[in-house]
């Protein structure tokens, strides 16, 4: 293998020579780049030349195969068998209608599956990862798909490596490469070249696309993108479409198989009874079985439930909650506890420095966000000039800082950490030129912030040639590492100042510095002691207004909220009080949590509102403890340290803006706007989805049950069957594709966020739903038989009587739809009567179809229907009204006696 530059007229296939390049300049020369990154114009040109940094899309099934797969269902097989039987018995119309219903069901499923695939593709695009790069020498974020060979990429713990990189800078950099090498231990990375023949697992100077940064920081230059990366070479092995089957749909499919077996058994017994006891001819008995099959089988139920789930996912996406794994839709509805971090989720994540405390002075600042506008006051007096001690602290805050504030079109935002951005903002409020300061004090090395040592340090060369280390971090840690210059540090005074700031909801950072020996690599021992303490800064991150309302909704819905934060206990308590997380928020620190045994932790976790000063192990223990108490836990997180708890939670929720790729990959849901209110909206949608699925079942099954009982009763008692198989299928077809489908679009019931969470293992068919199916089926049978007997007793012909029965069933279904739209509250209201536009459109469609069925001559030929007199039509409508009144009365009785709640729980 010979050395060659990666930049070529075709996309690079591999950058093998780069891992043993002797020095960074060799790497940049080979890639026609520089440590300042590419110019934006050059990056644009290369993007056109090499294409986007993306892998080939997964191969999809051919549309024809996807359409044929819609028939692979035991319910459909049974109906097709019934069609064949009807055909051989000479009932071609019945057979044609059965096939038409099966075909319509397949078309609905085919169209919906295509929409679901499109929705998933759109979701994948919405959560596409970002990469931090240098363009034109400025740190910025770009979509990973826009990376090109020669781009300089900056890596931090929790990032997903966006392309194959040759590292030229590394600080304690560890990368998880198990997806490529199979090694469970993270690989330690350096910029040191390795042998040309090194195997992939030994190429420590390379970072490969798709791997995850476990710890540390680094920088590298892109050597390969897209299909030219290592993961691109093996992408065909992992290509495949995401399965859309959820546990709920699997439950429905199992129900379908069992239901079919029972139907076959009942049909066989009924056939035997009809021929042996009632004297039916075998072909007439078979036709009865066909009628039973088409009446009892809910052939459209799986498709409607799939549509309901997909609509729920789309509604959540519209409310900025992206579902990565569809089963989360079901779990969200039963969430009983939400564990949330504070910053950016419950609060605005627009950090603002409110106070600076230095020896002898307290400086307070006004203004919010990152716009450098606001009055500064020293010891309560407005001033344009800060004390020297404050300016020294701000110098430390700017130099030991990686953030950059962008001011464009009247808006300001931070590229980097929000707290670091707030420090830049207050320095600019004080009139300091932060860019010039950073140029004059060149950085030579740094120790990145890490939760284990709780500080960041950077080594700089001063304009006069001295070397100085600036440190910022947890104030207690800074005090422990500092010593006084001329007099001992007054630790009590500083701890009191820290407590005062924290009690007012401020997050506090401490600042210190130390003169260094020279420009040697910076090590932990260099800053472990002997620092000069400069002071503290207090930051405020106010609660989101919408989060306060969302918390209120959660408490009304019986959902507990646990704030888990790394903040000081007093800070966390102040924010919890402002959010009203509990009447009297209780706080436990991580160190206190460690003293609690596993056996006692579930009760302690349930009783505690805020967990402060926590680490990843604490978060994982809290989630497990809550689950041990049978809670269904949703857990938010954004960092690599949150991944274990996100995986453990029943619903892991990652932040879309500030979340790392590790957090997103460990989660079932991604919040596009990082807003706690969005979680509550998603829970509401999850409850609504489950409600709507139950409504579909509660509405569909009584029709099918009523039709089946009518046929069975007619055979058992020797009556004429009130409906032909074709007429039964007409009812099922016209209702399933209209009224059955609109229930999937139902909005949330008024009390959806006022009920207690349902149990995760609660059956789909609760005792209440089973009772409702039996009760309403009986009403349908009574109505249909009553009309049939009434019509025949008046001397009306059989076809007219059957037409009246069909219309009676359809009208009863229309009125029952209004009852089932509100399962827990009354439907007799203006909102219940008017319905939604989708409901009204569906009803109008059904009415027009029924008028055609009853009065159109061609429908008379197809279905043996006949015109119904106007007076009889009025009676049929009154029967529907009576059904609605009876069902509403039953609902009132069950609710007032408490039976509804007991049946739901049972």
């Amino acid at each position: 293998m010979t050395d060659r530059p990666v930049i070529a007229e075709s996309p690079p296939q591999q950058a093998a020579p780069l891992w043993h390049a002797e020095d960074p300049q060799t790497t940049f020369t080979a890639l026609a780049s520089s440590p300042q990154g590419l110019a934006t114009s050059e990056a644009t040109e290369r993007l056109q030349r090499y294409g986007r940094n993306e892998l080939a899309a997964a191969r999809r099934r051919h549309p024809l195969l996807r359409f044929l797969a819609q028939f692979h269902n035991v319910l459909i097989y049974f109906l097709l068998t019934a069609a064949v039987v009807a055909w051989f018995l000479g009932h071609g119309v019945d057979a044609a209608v059965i096939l038409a219903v099966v075909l319509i069901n397949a078309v609905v499923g085919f169209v919906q599956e295509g929409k679901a695939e499109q929705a998933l593709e759109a979701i994948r695009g919405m959560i596409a990862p970002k990469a931090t790069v240098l363009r034109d020498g400025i740190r910025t974020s770009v979509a990973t798909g826009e990376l090109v060979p020669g781009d300089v990429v900056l890596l931090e713990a929790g990032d997903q490596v966006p392309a194959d990189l040759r590292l030229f800078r590394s600080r304690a950099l560890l990368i998880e490469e198990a997806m490529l090498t199979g090694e469970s231990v993270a690989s330690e990375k350096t910029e040191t070249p390795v042998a040309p023949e090194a195997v992939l697992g030994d190429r420590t100077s390379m970072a490969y696309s798709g791997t995850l940064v476990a710890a540390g920081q680094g920088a590298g230059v892109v050597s390969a993108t897209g299909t030219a990366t290592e993961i691109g070479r093996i992408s065909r092995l992992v290509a495949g479409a995401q399965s859309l089957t959820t546990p709920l749909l699997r439950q429905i499919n199992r129900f379908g198989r069992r239901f079919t077996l029972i139907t076959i058994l009942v049909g066989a017994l009924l056939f035997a009874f009809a021929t042996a006891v009632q004297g039916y001819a075998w072909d007439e008995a078979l036709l009865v079985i066909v009628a039973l099959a088409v009446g009892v089988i809910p052939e459209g139920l799986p498709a409607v439930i799939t549509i309901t789930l997909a609509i729920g996912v789309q509604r959540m996406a519209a409310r900025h909650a992206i579902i990565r794994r569809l089963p989360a839709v079901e779990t969200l509805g039963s969430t009983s506890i939400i564990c949330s971090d504070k910053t950016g989720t419950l609060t605005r994540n627009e950090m603002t420095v409110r106070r600076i405390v230095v020896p002898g002075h307290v400086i307070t600042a006004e203004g919010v966000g990152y716009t450098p506008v606001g009055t500064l006051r020293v010891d309560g007096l407005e001033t344009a000039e800060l004390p020297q001690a404050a300016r020294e602290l701000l110098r430390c805050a700017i130099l030991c800082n990686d953030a950059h504030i962008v001011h464009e079109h009247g808006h300001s935002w931070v590229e980097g950490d929000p707290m670091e951005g707030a420090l830049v903002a207050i320095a600019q409020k004080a009139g300091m030129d932060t860019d010039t300061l950073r140029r004059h004090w060149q950085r030579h090395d740094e120790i990145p912030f890490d939760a284990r040592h709780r500080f960041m340090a950077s080594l700089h060369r001063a304009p006069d040639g001295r070397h100085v280390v600036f440190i910022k971090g947890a104030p207690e840690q800074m005090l422990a590492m500092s010593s006084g210059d001329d007099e001992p540090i007054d630790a009590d005074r500083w701890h009191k100042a820290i407590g005062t700031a924290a009690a007012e909801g401020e997050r506090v950072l401490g600042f210190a510095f130390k003169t260094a020996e020279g420009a040697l690599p910076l090590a932990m021992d260099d800053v472990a002691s002997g620092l000069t303490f400069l002071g503290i800064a207090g930051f405020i991150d106010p609660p989101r207004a919408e989060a306060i309302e969302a918390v209120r909704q959660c408490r009304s819905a019986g959902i507990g909220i646990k704030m888990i934060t790394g903040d000081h206990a007093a800070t966390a308590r102040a924010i919890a009080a402002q959010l009203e997380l509990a009447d009297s928020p209780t706080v436990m620190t991580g160190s206190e949590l460690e003293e609690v045994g596993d056996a006692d932790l579930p009760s302690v976790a349930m009783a505690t509102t805020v967990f402060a000063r926590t680490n990843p192990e604490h978060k994982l223990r809290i989630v497990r403890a809550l689950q041990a108490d049978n809670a269904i836990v949703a857990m938010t997180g954004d960092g690599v340290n949150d991944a274990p708890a996100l995986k453990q939670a029943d619903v892991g929720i990652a932040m879309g803006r500030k979340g790392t790729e590790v957090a997103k990959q460990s989660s079932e849901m991604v919040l596009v706007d990082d807003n706690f209110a969005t979680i509550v909206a998603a829970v509401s949608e999850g409850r609504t989805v489950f409600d709507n699925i139950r409504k579909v079942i509660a509405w569909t099954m009584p029709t099918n049950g009523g039709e089946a009982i009518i046929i069975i009763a007619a055979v058992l008692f020797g009556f004429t069957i009130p409906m032909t198989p074709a007429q039964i299928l007409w009812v099922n077809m016209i209702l399933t594709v209209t009224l059955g489908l609109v229930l999937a679009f139902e909005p949330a019931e008024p009390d959806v966020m006022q009920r207690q969470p349902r149990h995760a293992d609660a059956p789909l068919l609760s005792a209440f739903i089973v009772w409702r199916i039996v009760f309403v089926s009986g009403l349908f049978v009574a109505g249909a038989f009553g009309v049939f007997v009434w019509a025949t007793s008046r001397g009306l012909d059989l076809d007219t009587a059957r037409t009246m029965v069909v219309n009676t069933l359809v009208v009863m279904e229309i009125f029952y739809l209004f009852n089932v739209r509100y399962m827990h509250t009354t439907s007799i209201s203006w909102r219940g009567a008017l319905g939604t536009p989708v409901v009204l459109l569906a009803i109008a469609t059904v009415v027009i179809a029924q008028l055609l069925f009853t009065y159109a001559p061609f429908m008379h030929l197809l279905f043996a229907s006949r015109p119904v007199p106007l007076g009889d039509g009025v009676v049929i409508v009154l029967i529907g009204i009576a059904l609605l009144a009876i069902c509403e009365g039953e609902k009132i009785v069950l609710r007032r006696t408490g039976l509804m709640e007991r049946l739901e729980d049972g």
Side-chain angles (χ1 to χ4, degrees):
M1 189 176 291
T2 58
D3 289 345
R4 60 177 174 79
V6 174
I7 303 303
E9 290 304 318
S10 59
Q13 297 303 308
Q14 189 51 258
L18 293 181
W19 61 70
H20 65 88
E22 292 299 328
D23 57 69
Q25 189 54 49
T26 303
T27 301
F28 287 116
T29 300
L31 294 166
S33 183
S34 73
Q36 286 71 46
L38 298 174
T40 300
S41 57
E42 174 65 15
T44 302
E45 190 276 329
R46 293 189 186 189
L47 183 62
Q48 295 175 347
R49 192 191 320 170
Y50 300 129
R52 292 182 61 80
N53 178 32
E54 296 171 346
L55 300 180
R59 191 173 182 179
R60 295 185 178 181
R61 281 185 300 171
H62 190 279
L64 178 60
L65 295 177
R66 191 155 55 83
F67 178 72
L68 293 176
Q70 307 304 317
F71 297 91
H72 183 51
N73 183 294
V74 66
L75 300 177
I76 301 302
Y77 293 152
F78 196 17
L79 284 178
L80 291 175
T81 302
V84 172
V85 171
W87 177 267
F88 279 108
L89 292 176
H91 293 263
V93 173
D94 291 343
V97 173
I98 294 173
L99 291 175
V101 171
V102 171
L103 182 62
I104 289 173
N105 181 69
V107 170
V108 170
F110 174 78
V111 172
Q112 177 54 37
E113 186 175 311
K115 289 183 177 180
E117 286 188 358
Q118 294 173 5
L120 286 174
E121 288 299 325
I123 288 171
R124 292 188 188 106
M126 291 178 73
I127 59 175
K130 298 279 189 178
T132 302
V133 302
L134 293 178
R135 291 268 176 93
D136 300 312
I138 298 175
R139 176 184 177 127
T140 187
S141 295
V142 300
T144 57
E146 298 177 5
L147 288 180
V148 295
D151 261 326
V152 171
V153 176
L154 307 179
L155 300 176
E156 294 183 353
D159 289 348
Q160 183 179 51
V161 179
D164 284 2
L165 310 176
R166 171 56 164 98
L167 299 171
F168 64 87
R169 184 158 151 255
S170 172
R171 167 61 73 178
L173 185 61
L174 298 176
I175 296 183
E176 298 277 1
E177 295 183 329
M179 61 178 295
L180 293 177
T181 65
E183 293 289 339
S184 58
V185 178
S187 174
E188 185 175 349
K189 297 295 183 177
T190 69
E191 59 269 28
T192 306
V194 297
E197 64 276 8
V199 297
L200 189 144
D202 294 333
R203 298 171 192 167
T204 56
S205 59
M206 296 289 294
Y208 289 103
S209 177
T211 58
L212 303 172
V213 180
Q217 293 180 326
V221 58
V222 175
S223 60
T225 60
T227 56
T229 62
E230 275 292 330
I231 194 174
R233 293 175 56 243
I234 61 172
S235 61
R236 63 181 179 273
L237 301 178
V238 295
Q242 180 176 345
S243 172
L244 301 181
T245 302
T246 72
L248 178 62
L249 290 181
R250 289 195 292 269
Q251 185 179 355
I252 292 296
N253 290 334
R254 286 196 300 270
F255 166 77
R257 288 191 293 270
R258 294 170 183 170
F259 193 80
T260 301
L261 291 176
I262 293 173
T263 303
I264 292 173
L265 178 61
V266 172
L269 294 174
L270 193 64
F271 178 82
F273 183 85
T275 53
V277 178
Q278 298 289 18
Y280 278 71
W282 70 269
D283 57 340
E284 291 181 15
L286 273 180
L287 205 59
V288 170
I289 303 306
V290 170
L292 175 66
V294 300
V296 75
I297 291 179
E299 65 279 351
L301 190 58
V304 174
I305 288 176
T306 303
I307 292 170
T308 306
L309 282 171
I311 290 170
V313 171
Q314 293 170 359
R315 282 177 172 175
M316 290 180 186
R319 299 177 76 168
H320 308 296
I322 307 303
I323 302 297
R324 295 185 66 248
R325 300 183 179 98
L326 292 184
V329 178
E330 304 160 34
T331 312
L332 272 168
S334 58
T335 298
S336 58
I337 290 180
I338 300 175
C339 295
S340 175
D341 61 354
K342 177 179 69 69
T343 305
T345 309
L346 291 167
T347 60
R348 294 172 58 88
N349 196 25
E350 292 182 353
M351 300 299 294
T352 302
V353 177
R354 278 293 187 221
R355 80 178 72 205
I356 293 175
V357 183
V358 294
H361 299 285
V362 176
I363 295 92
T364 56
E366 297 177 354
V368 296
Y370 306 113
T371 303
V373 176
T375 303
L376 299 180
R377 299 178 185 273
V378 178
D379 300 326
L381 301 176
E382 185 175 339
T383 181
E385 187 66 28
L386 293 182
Q388 182 61 29
R391 301 189 71 82
E392 290 180 1
L393 182 146
L394 290 177
R395 181 178 62 188
C396 172
I398 295 306
L399 296 177
C400 187
N401 188 322
D402 292 322
H404 175 71
I405 295 184
V406 180
H407 303 290
E408 286 186 3
H409 310 298
H411 298 283
S412 301
W413 67 91
V414 172
E415 291 283 355
D417 181 79
M419 290 185 70
E420 292 189 339
L423 292 171
V424 175
I426 193 170
Q428 292 177 350
K429 289 179 185 178
M432 299 176 67
D433 187 337
T434 55
D435 292 335
T436 301
L437 181 65
R438 285 171 169 174
R439 284 198 302 270
H440 289 170
W441 288 72
Q442 295 181 0
R443 183 188 294 190
H444 286 275
D445 203 357
E446 73 277 329
I447 298 175
F449 177 84
D450 189 284
R452 291 170 295 182
H453 54 248
R454 299 168 61 200
F455 67 81
M456 172 187 176
S458 58
L459 175 64
H460 297 261
R461 184 178 185 276
D464 60 8
R466 294 180 299 118
H467 286 85
V468 182
V469 181
F470 293 102
I471 309 98
K472 74 174 190 301
E476 301 92 341
Q477 186 74 5
M478 295 292 95
L479 285 169
M481 296 161 58
S482 300
S483 58
D485 291 333
D486 300 325
E487 58 184 41
I489 293 177
D490 187 352
D492 290 340
R493 173 183 178 271
W494 286 113
H495 284 301
K496 182 179 179 181
I498 294 168
T500 299
E504 295 184 20
E506 295 177 9
R507 187 170 179 178
V508 185
L509 279 183
F511 300 85
F513 77 97
K514 180 180 182 180
T515 302
E517 297 290 334
L520 297 175
L522 193 57
M524 295 290 293
D525 291 343
D526 297 330
V527 295
S529 61
L531 306 183
T532 299
F533 191 70
L534 292 171
I536 62 171
F539 302 73
I540 187 69
D541 183 13
R544 294 177 182 260
E546 61 271 28
I548 297 174
E549 172 60 21
V551 167
R552 186 196 63 77
Q553 291 183 28
C554 281
R555 297 185 66 180
S556 174
I559 300 173
I561 303 173
K562 310 292 182 184
M563 180 195 294
I564 306 177
T565 178
D567 272 354
H568 194 281
T571 304
R573 180 184 286 108
I575 296 298
Q578 293 177 45
L579 288 164
E580 298 182 3
L581 294 187
D583 293 335
S584 299
T586 54
V587 182
M588 174 175 283
T589 64
S591 58
E592 292 170 341
L593 184 66
E594 291 173 356
E595 301 298 322
V596 180
D598 290 341
D600 298 327
L601 189 55
S603 59
V604 172
M606 290 297 293
T608 303
T609 309
V610 177
F611 295 90
R613 282 291 193 257
T614 56
N615 61 32
E617 291 77 13
H618 296 151
K619 295 180 181 181
L620 187 58
R621 283 194 71 204
I622 293 167
V623 172
R624 286 176 173 167
L626 293 170
Q627 290 173 327
D629 203 29
N630 297 318
I632 305 302
V633 182
M635 170 77 189
T636 70
D638 58 1
V640 63
N641 58 342
D642 294 323
L646 290 172
K647 286 185 177 180
Q648 177 67 37
D650 297 280
V651 181
I653 304 172
M655 303 297 107
R657 292 179 178 175
K658 65 176 181 176
T660 62
E661 292 309 308
V662 173
K664 292 176 186 177
Q665 291 186 17
S666 301
S667 302
E668 285 75 31
M669 187 169 85
V670 177
L671 298 184
V672 176
D673 58 358
D674 293 7
N675 193 340
F676 181 82
T678 302
I679 303 175
V680 180
V683 171
S684 176
E685 290 293 350
R687 290 187 174 191
T688 301
V689 165
F690 192 81
D691 276 358
N692 288 349
I693 289 173
R694 297 205 320 156
K695 291 174 186 177
V696 169
I697 294 172
W699 179 85
T700 302
M701 297 304 294
T703 304
N704 298 78
E707 291 167 353
I709 294 171
I710 289 170
I711 295 168
I712 294 172
V715 172
L716 292 179
F717 297 106
F719 299 152
T720 302
I721 297 178
M723 290 186 295
T724 68
Q727 290 172 342
I728 293 173
L729 273 173
W730 165 261
V731 173
N732 291 358
M733 176 179 68
I734 191 62
L735 294 179
T736 297
V737 300
T738 53
L739 302 187
L741 194 58
V742 300
L743 289 171
F745 295 87
E746 278 296 288
E749 292 193 31
D751 68 338
V752 70
M753 289 301 285
Q754 296 172 7
R755 305 180 217 142
Q756 294 298 302
R758 68 178 176 86
H759 298 293
D761 56 354
L764 188 62
L765 296 179
S766 66
F768 170 68
I769 295 296
V770 172
W771 154 253
R772 174 52 75 91
I773 291 172
V774 173
F775 176 68
V776 178
S777 294
L779 294 178
F780 273 62
V781 172
F785 262 121
V787 167
F788 186 72
V789 171
W790 177 58
T792 55
S793 66
R794 292 164 47 215
L796 296 178
D797 63 273
L798 180 61
D799 289 341
T800 301
R802 284 175 167 169
T803 303
M804 290 174 63
V805 170
V806 171
N807 279 285
T808 300
L809 283 176
V810 171
V811 168
M812 293 174 79
E813 282 287 5
I814 291 174
F815 281 95
Y816 181 50
L817 176 73
F818 282 96
N819 172 264
V820 86
R821 286 184 65 225
Y822 299 99
M823 296 286 286
H824 301 88
T825 59
T826 181
S827 299
I828 301 178
S829 63
W830 277 113
R831 176 176 175 177
L834 293 176
T836 62
V838 178
V839 168
L840 298 178
L841 177 62
I843 291 175
T845 302
V846 171
V847 170
I848 293 171
Q850 275 310 114
L851 289 174
L852 289 173
F853 173 85
T854 306
Y855 299 106
F858 73 92
M859 298 294 276
H860 297 164
L861 294 175
L862 287 175
F863 294 99
S865 58
R866 294 292 181 269
V868 174
L870 179 61
D872 292 343
V874 173
V875 172
I876 291 172
V877 172
L878 291 175
I879 291 173
I881 295 174
L883 172 76
L884 175 62
I886 293 171
C887 289
E888 284 296 307
E890 171 250 10
K891 195 189 299 182
I892 292 171
V893 171
L894 290 180
R895 191 168 61 247
R896 290 184 177 177
T897 59
L899 281 173
M900 180 179 289
E901 185 176 349
R902 289 199 292 273
L903 288 172
E904 286 282 33
D905 293 339

